[in-house]
Amino acid sequence: MNLDAKLLSELDSKGPPLLHFYRWAGPSATYGHFIKPSDYFDLQKTQWHNLALAKRPTGGGIIFHIWDFAFSFLMPAENPHFSLGTLDNYRFVNEAVLEVMRGFFSLKGPVELHASEPTEDLHFCMARPTQYDVVHQGMKVAGAAQRRTKKGYLHQGSISLAFPQLDLLTDVLLSKQAIVAAMTEYSFAPLGRHWDAAQLQATRQAIQEKLATQFKERLL
């Protein structure tokens, strides 16, 4: 998270876009710049589970980086694909995600960008689709948060790959019922409920390669 903040502060407005991918040393979760983790987590329980917490330089809610694929993208302000419209910038990045997920998982039916804001903000990224999230059959495939400066913007994205570990959520969250129910209902989980670390890592690697290719094509 500190690296992303540094990259944004040092971004060359006339330079090339930057795409990079995260690797996690262990179970992790990040939270938006304006989130206070003690309002949502039993911090003693997070220590028991060795769940690392870090603040993102962007906004948004809480994201668990245990069953997802996460990346960040920095767009310089003088790039022709940069827009002063925030939703245009979300759309540019998430349309790349949409194409990768549609092809990689051979999804049947529409994979699309969500059109409206949720009626209730639960402060957890995968608990509700928000505008320009990638959705499939009502489930949230990918969410993101952005921060824009005069130099450009930072987009931090998370793609859901597997069903959440409900026992972990129930143990570490202060408010359990609504969050667990929402994540159960809305989380996209192409790897299903019974996944293992090797399967997850192989999927992350394949998506990383395809996403890099998709961004190259969109930036031509």
Side-chain angles (χ1 to χ4, degrees), residues 20-78:
H20 72 90
F21 306 101
Y22 300 104
R23 293 181 183 270
W24 310 99
S28 304
T30 60
Y31 52 92
H33 186 75
F34 300 103
I35 292 284
K36 184 178 180 181
S38 59
D39 289 342
Y40 301 96
F41 288 103
D42 181 328
L43 297 181
Q44 187 175 38
K45 292 290 184 66
T46 64
Q47 293 180 354
W48 289 349
H49 287 277
N50 294 315
L51 179 66
L53 302 177
K55 181 168 68 174
R56 296 191 306 276
T58 55
I62 295 166
I63 306 174
F64 288 88
H65 301 293
I66 303 172
W67 43 79
D68 78 332
F69 171 80
F71 69 96
S72 73
F73 176 74
L74 293 105
M75 174 68 86
E78 296 193 36

Side-chain angles (χ1 to χ4, degrees), residues 143-155:
Q146 287 187 8
R147 181 178 175 184
R148 192 179 75 199
T149 70
K150 293 180 179 179
K151 299 178 181 180
Y153 69 79
L154 165 66
H155 178 109

Side-chain angles (χ1 to χ4, degrees), residues 110-131:
V111 184
E112 55 197 357
L113 300 179
H114 194 64
S116 60
E117 288 293 333
T119 56
E120 180 184 11
D121 187 357
L122 297 177
H123 302 290
F124 284 79
C125 181
M126 290 300 169
R128 289 282 191 275
T130 59
Q131 196 167 28

Side-chain angles (χ1 to χ4, degrees), residues 41 46 65 90 108 110 131 133 146 164 171 184 190 192 195 205:
F41 288 103
T46 64
H65 301 293
Y90 271 95
K108 297 179 180 179
Q131 196 167 28
D133 284 342
Q146 287 187 8
D171 205 29
T184 299
W195 47 274
Q205 184 62 40

Side-chain angles (χ1 to χ4, degrees), residues 64-68 160-162 164-165 168-169 195 200 204:
F64 288 88
H65 301 293
I66 303 172
W67 43 79
D68 78 332
S160 179
L161 295 177
Q165 296 171 325
L168 173 65
L169 296 179
W195 47 274
L200 182 63
R204 283 171 168 166

Side-chain angles (χ1 to χ4, degrees), residues 77 81-89 148-149 153:
H81 296 286
F82 175 85
S83 173
L84 291 175
T86 299
L87 295 182
D88 290 335
N89 294 327
R148 192 179 75 199
T149 70
Y153 69 79

